[in-house]
Amino acid sequence: MDPILDVARDLGKRLAEHPKVKAYLEANEAVAASASTRQILTDYESQARKIEELTAANQPVEPEDKRKLADLEQKMASDPLMKTLLKAQADYVGLMRQVQAAIQPQPEPQA
């Protein structure tokens, strides 16, 4: 086998055991298991997509549509499972950035 792939598999295993990765996966599962949180997220994504499509088509975005999006943002911000997910997601992304930076090829030191 390729030694680089062996190292990558080991990294994958270690990442799966990392507390930030576990917390992110658990938060995703909790959101998936909650019908009310899933509904808030679905409604938010739908409304955001509607506004994005109107904007792309140079159509006016009605104040009611903007208000609805703001209300849904507030619901997401106050939902405990979404708060947990967003925090876990930020931690996960931070960890992945550190991993990416660590695996970037490093220039050879000049003698």
Side-chain angles (χ1 to χ4, degrees), residues 17-77:
E17 296 169 359
H18 194 283
K20 289 181 180 180
V21 174
K22 285 182 177 183
Y24 175 63
L25 295 174
E26 289 170 6
N28 268 321
E29 289 175 7
V31 167
S34 170
S36 62
T37 302
R38 277 194 335 266
Q39 188 62 53
I40 293 168
L41 187 54
T42 299
D43 292 347
Y44 172 80
E45 290 171 345
S46 176
Q47 186 65 21
R49 190 170 30 259
K50 177 182 179 182
I51 290 174
E52 184 178 297
E53 289 169 359
L54 288 170
T55 302
N58 289 323
Q59 298 292 318
V61 177
E62 299 297 327
E64 181 180 328
D65 286 326
K66 292 177 183 178
R67 236 184 336 271
K68 184 175 180 182
L69 185 65
D71 289 346
L72 289 165
E73 286 173 346
Q74 182 60 38
K75 284 182 182 179
M76 283 184 30

Side-chain angles (χ1 to χ4, degrees), residues 91-111:
D91 291 345
Y92 174 82
V93 168
L95 175 64
M96 291 299 106
R97 284 188 178 137
Q98 290 177 320
V99 168
Q100 182 65 32
I103 64 173
Q104 289 298 313
Q106 302 297 315
E108 291 293 320
Q110 299 295 326

